[in-house]
Amino acid sequence: MKILFATPELAPWMKSGGLGEISASLPAALHEAGMDVRILVPAYAPLLAAFPDAKLVAEFAHPGGNLLSARLLEAKAGNGLPLLLIDCPAYYVRAGSAYLDGAGNDFADNHLRFGLLSRIAALLAGSASPLRWRPHVLHCNDWPCGLAPAYLHFMGGATASTVMSIHNLAFQGIFPADTLEALGLSAAAYAIDGVEYWGRLSFMKAGLHYAQRITTVSPRYAEEIQTEAFGYGFAGLLRWRNRDLTGILNGIDTRAWDPATDTYLPRRYEFAHMKGKGANKTALRQRLGLAQESSCPLFGAVSRITHQKGLDLLADIGEEIAQLPAQVALLGAGDKRLEAALMSLAARHPERFSVTLGYDEGLAHQIEAGADMFLMPSRFEPCGLNQMYSLRYGTPPIVRATGGLADTVVDCNEATLADDTANGFVFAEISAQALLGTIRRAISAWHDTTLWRKLQCNGMLLDFGWAKAAAAYKEIYAGLGEKKKADRARSPAAADKAGTAA
Ligand code: ADP
């Protein structure tokens, strides 16, 4: 089975959040499960620098509307997976992230930048593809690839089936209606049962409407997005497409995130030898200037600093946390006002709060290993990766019961301790007081060393590898192949042939 995996991010070269990591790990797992996968991604500057010998395999002159011409380069990633890089420096070689400029603003031409990604994905999935390699399935990831199924629908000649994966429905790729022409989309696409969304155009809606199958990154999030509270205006559409929607829990890169081999850690440790974890706590406190108080638990957090992640709740109870006493080591970047509130807390309690603004892979690993517990008070969380890293690092997570957090973290109570499923702490209400209550509960459990060891063991023994997810995606791809065969057999041409044969 041949799969074209289209994505706007690819770790380690371009990563804004979970999608970058997933785009590196899932195709590798699909490959291991026997599929022929190619990753289609814009040729951002770090990718061009990493693959100076990438081979030119196709050219797309005037691919439609006002979209700029582009070249398609092929390279091989370290793990042997072929990469197809869309080379269009005017769109993709810029300072900033995949979506934002250095000042944190969306690039003004994001519709064109990701229109081109979608357009080329569609061209490679149709009969006019310049490549000999033809995918059976085009797998589109998040809004930047959402227009691909719409392009394919209106171009005709689709040779691949389409899957649209939602990694975060809050980002929807909404642009003014008059961008339709620049994007080279048929005017017929601008309809309620098309790409139109409240008088504007939405890339995400295009994907949700035109793709044959929809997946999202946890079973709980698949249910949540069908409700008005989490559906961002798409709940009705998703309920309508309910039979085509599946939640598949992400895996994690168990090679990069393994406390027994993690080269970012000053001391490695494993399930049977946990001593090194204490050394990581000491080193982390030292690095961050936090007091070395043996009876004081240390909470870690590595996150985008946004409303979604609920870090405002943490800021609201900062003074109470300092008095508990407890310490917090936070790494992240995002909303400037929230960053400032957290920084002022750290300035008031330098021995208790450490806030590091920016992106730092090494420190993220050191926080996972050095903290006693990990905080994720998210308002919503499609899947979340850090709670799975925490479980693997013997750092029980404290999470709100939403999305993938609800699917992976089991609250510590008598019943779950008895059946060996307890692995963290879960609260339901979105409030600072609910978070504080759960933090208090976790601290009292932390003081019980036997109980704590059990909690750590339960988490560390879980399997979060990608194999399960890869098998689930394979089943979806295979189902699309079966459906295609059945549709062909039912087509008028097939009926004619059958008639002639008879
Ligand atoms: P999201 O994709 O919503 O941001 P996820 O938990 O799915 O959240 O994935 C976020 C990933 O990015 C995790 O691997 C996390 O460790 C990493 N990350 C987020 N912020 C930072 C940061 N400031 N420094 C290092 N890694 C970070």
Side-chain angles (χ1 to χ4, degrees):
M1 200 153 25
K2 297 189 180 73
I3 314 296
L4 182 61
F5 190 91
T7 177
E9 297 181 34
L10 182 61
W13 302 285
M14 183 55 83
K15 169 182 154 182
S16 295
L19 179 55
E21 281 180 46
I22 290 151
S23 299
S25 307
L26 175 57
L30 296 172
H31 177 73
E32 268 170 41
M35 285 167 264
D36 176 1
V37 191
R38 300 194 180 189
I39 302 174
L40 179 72
V41 62
Y44 302 110
L47 275 154
L48 287 174
F51 300 103
D53 301 327
K55 200 171 74 194
L56 177 68
V57 290
E59 295 198 57
F60 296 93
H62 310 294
N66 296 345
L67 298 173
L68 294 181
S69 303
R71 306 185 317 149
L72 194 66
L73 309 177
E74 190 176 309
K76 260 212 160 67
N79 58 9
L81 276 195
L83 306 180
L84 294 169
L85 309 175
I86 303 173
D87 183 30
C88 181
Y91 281 165
Y92 304 130
V93 176
R94 300 176 176 182
S97 76
Y99 320 104
L100 310 174
D101 63 21
N105 300 312
D106 285 322
F107 290 119
D109 57 353
N110 271 348
H111 60 297
L112 298 173
R113 300 172 70 236
F114 297 115
L116 183 67
L117 168 62
S118 295
R119 182 76 180 175
I120 291 183
L123 288 166
L124 296 178
S127 52
S129 169
L131 300 187
R132 247 200 311 202
W133 183 87
R134 299 287 170 94
H136 297 106
V137 177
L138 168 60
H139 188 155
C140 303
N141 291 281
D142 262 353
W143 76 263
C145 308
L147 277 196
Y151 279 131
L152 207 49
H153 177 86
F154 288 99
M155 262 163 27
T159 50
S161 307
T162 47
V163 176
M164 177 74 195
S165 283
I166 306 167
H167 297 266
N168 192 338
L169 196 57
F171 301 106
Q172 309 179 327
I174 295 177
F175 300 99
D178 62 10
T179 54
L180 197 77
E181 213 176 309
L183 287 163
L185 261 177
S186 154
Y190 193 72
I192 285 189
D193 55 348
V195 306
E196 190 267 348
Y197 181 73
W198 298 102
R200 292 189 287 172
L201 176 159
S202 160
F203 276 46
M204 181 63 99
K205 181 170 174 198
L208 299 182
H209 183 78
Y210 290 106
Q212 271 112 24
R213 287 294 301 261
I214 303 169
T215 69
T216 189
V217 289
S218 71
R220 178 69 73 99
Y221 193 57
E223 284 170 25
E224 287 174 346
I225 55 180
Q226 296 178 57
T227 66
E228 304 307 322
F230 292 91
Y232 281 90
F234 294 130
L237 171 57
L238 288 164
R239 281 197 299 271
W240 177 62
R241 297 226 48 195
N242 171 286
R243 283 183 355 163
D244 299 319
L245 168 65
T246 311
I248 301 174
L249 192 73
N250 283 334
I252 59 170
D253 181 342
T254 49
R255 272 183 287 249
W257 291 92
D258 180 352
T261 56
D262 191 330
T263 51
Y264 287 116
L265 305 189
R267 269 283 284 287
R268 290 182 265 290
Y269 61 95
E270 54 192 311
F271 169 65
H273 302 99
M274 291 291 283
K275 252 204 170 135
K277 185 159 168 64
N280 282 291
K281 181 173 175 180
T282 307
L284 180 64
R285 279 170 154 169
Q286 195 165 6
R287 172 172 176 177
L288 300 176
L290 294 169
Q292 302 281 357
E293 290 173 54
S294 61
S295 62
C296 183
L298 172 58
F299 292 83
V302 180
S303 174
R304 288 186 288 115
I305 297 180
T306 61
H307 188 252
Q308 176 198 335
K309 301 290 182 179
L311 293 178
D312 51 317
L313 306 180
L314 182 67
D316 287 350
I317 52 170
E319 295 301 331
E320 285 91 331
I321 289 177
Q323 305 312 323
L324 280 172
Q327 294 173 316
V328 176
L330 185 141
L331 166 65
D335 181 87
K336 298 292 168 223
R337 283 235 308 258
L338 195 46
E339 281 182 0
L342 291 161
M343 289 299 278
S344 96
L345 199 56
R348 285 199 302 279
H349 303 283
E351 302 219 313
R352 294 271 153 80
F353 276 89
S354 157
V355 177
T356 309
L357 296 182
Y359 197 90
D360 186 334
E361 191 73 31
L363 183 55
H365 286 243
Q366 288 159 14
I367 290 177
E368 287 289 2
D372 295 302
M373 302 159 227
F374 199 88
L375 294 170
M376 294 182 80
S378 305
R379 287 189 164 76
F380 69 93
E381 194 64 75
C383 179
L385 294 172
N386 276 304
Q387 83 279 14
M388 293 190 267
Y389 303 154
S390 305
L391 289 166
R392 204 163 152 73
Y393 278 60
T395 310
I398 295 176
V399 306
R400 207 182 79 71
T402 182
L405 299 177
D407 284 333
T408 49
V409 182
V410 178
D411 188 48
C412 175
N413 58 44
E414 241 171 70
T416 56
L417 280 169
D419 67 11
D420 288 334
T421 54
N423 61 20
F425 300 87
V426 183
F427 65 100
E429 191 187 299
I430 305 177
S431 78
Q433 287 313 311
L435 172 60
L436 183 60
T438 313
I439 287 176
R440 284 185 201 279
R441 197 154 62 83
I443 292 177
S444 96
W446 178 73
H447 284 294
D448 179 340
T449 38
T450 315
L451 183 158
W452 198 253
R453 180 76 186 118
K454 189 162 193 192
L455 211 56
Q456 288 179 309
C457 287
N458 290 346
M460 290 179 92
L461 291 176
L462 293 171
D463 171 15
F464 289 118
W466 272 100
K468 246 185 281 172
Y473 282 106
K474 191 174 183 179
E475 208 177 302
I476 285 181
Y477 299 153
L480 283 168
E482 291 305 314
K483 187 174 175 302
K484 209 164 195 182
K485 259 192 242 157
D487 288 349
R488 258 202 309 267
R490 273 200 304 270
S491 73
D496 271 1
K497 243 192 228 161
T500 318

